[in-house]
Structures are given as C-alpha cells and as structure tokens.
C-alpha cells in the first residue's frame, strides 16, 4: 500500500476543509484491498459539533460501507496526529493501521502527548507517523497565519 498516495487524497480533503473555514485536516480509510471506504474533513465550525473531526467522519462512513464497526484490516490516513477522542474511536473500531502526517503537540494521542494505542485495549494498531508531514504542517501553518491577519476592511 502506497502511504503517500492515500495521504495526498487526505491532503486534498484538508485543503477543502480550509476553503470552508475549517482547520485543514483530511482523512481517508482504505480496506485490506486498498479501496477507499471512508473519507472526511474537519467540519466542527459548519456542524457546530465537537465531534466534527475528519477521523470521526471517515470512521462513520467506513463502518456504514462495511456494515460493521470492526475495521481491523483497514488503514486510516490522516494529515494530523489524532486527538484523544479520535484515537479512542480508532481503538474501539479495532483499526489495523494508523498513518498520520504532522505531529500535534497540543493534543496528539499517538505519540506527542501520550500514545493511547500502547495501552491495554483490545486489538493492536500499527502506527506510522510523519508521512508527508511537511505538506500537512505547511497547510496548517498557512491556515492559521491567514486567520491571524487583521481584516483589511478598514472597519
């Protein structure tokens, strides 16, 4: 499985999220045959929901596509290291593999703050971090720089 190929799809979703005013995070899930069965992008602002994370959207779609909550032969690709909520959902789905781009020093729960996947939960998730990390980080940096710029409306 070509990790970079799937991460580029996740990056495209992150760009779409940024265009909608959302923090640019994108996610795709591929099954054991490499078919994309779930995708998502951040939607917290639009949905006004704390669970509007790219990973949650992709996990829900993948479970519907499978007709099952177990994703043990699937790989989730996300542009930013998952938070505790998303990591917990992946653990509960018995996710086979997690691939992420940029580290998340404020809430990362696959390495940065802690690694929830190392705890004694059922199942085992293989983790690969830093895949297209620079592209993911640049997209996030650009988004937050634009957000901090003062409005030029003169009002």
């Amino acid at each position: 499985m070509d990790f970079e190929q799937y991460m580029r799809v996740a990056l495209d979703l992150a760009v779409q999220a940024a265009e909608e005013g959302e923090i640019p995070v994108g996610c795709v899930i591929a099954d054991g045959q490499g078919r994309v069965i779930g995708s998502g992008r951040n939607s917290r602002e639009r949905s006004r929901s704390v669970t509007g994370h790219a990973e949650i959207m992709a996990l829900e779609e993948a479970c519907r596509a499978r007709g099952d909550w177990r994703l043990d032969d699937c790989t989730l690709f996300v542009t930013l290291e998952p938070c505790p909520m998303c990591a917990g959902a992946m653990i509960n789905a018995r996710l086979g593999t997690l691939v992420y781009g940029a580290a998340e020093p404020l809430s990362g729960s696959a390495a940065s703050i802690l690694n929830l996947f190392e705890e004694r939960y059922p199942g085992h998730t293989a983790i690969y971090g830093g895949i297209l990390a620079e592209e993911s980080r640049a997209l996030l940096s650009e988004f937050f720089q634009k957000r901090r710029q003062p409005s030029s409306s003169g009002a």
Side-chain angles (χ1 to χ4, degrees):
M1 187 173 283
D2 181 0
F3 287 180
E4 287 191 11
Q5 170 190 342
Y6 292 95
M7 282 298 288
R8 292 204 186 284
V9 175
L11 278 164
D12 288 344
L13 290 164
V15 168
Q16 291 174 26
E19 290 169 352
E20 296 169 353
E22 301 283 349
I23 295 174
V25 178
C27 179
V28 295
I29 299 176
D31 67 10
Q33 283 69 53
R35 295 178 299 231
V36 173
I37 60 170
S39 64
R41 60 185 183 269
N42 272 8
S43 65
R44 278 195 320 187
E45 300 303 323
R46 183 171 28 97
S47 66
R48 304 281 188 249
S49 174
V50 69
T51 60
H53 287 205
E55 300 96 310
I56 300 299
M57 304 298 116
L59 286 164
E60 288 176 350
E61 189 173 288
C63 290
R64 281 193 303 274
R66 285 297 254 323
D68 193 359
W69 57 268
R70 292 171 191 86
L71 301 175
D72 55 323
D73 69 332
C74 295
T75 302
L76 184 147
F77 299 86
V78 63
T79 57
L80 184 64
E81 180 184 359
C83 73
M85 174 184 67
C86 294
M90 291 173 207
I91 290 166
N92 281 312
R94 312 291 197 270
L95 183 70
T97 305
L98 163 64
V99 178
Y100 68 89
E104 171 43 290
L106 300 177
S107 65
S109 295
S112 294
I113 299 291
L114 75 157
N115 186 342
L116 281 177
F117 298 94
E118 289 180 341
E119 300 302 323
R120 293 175 295 157
Y121 297 111
H124 172 74
T125 302
I127 300 170
Y128 300 89
I131 309 301
L132 298 184
E134 201 50 50
E135 290 92 329
S136 298
R137 203 173 3 264
L139 187 58
L140 287 158
S141 293
E142 180 183 328
F143 175 81
F144 286 112
Q145 283 175 351
K146 285 180 181 176
R147 202 181 229 192
R148 286 191 283 267
Q149 288 177 353
S151 173
S152 60
S153 65

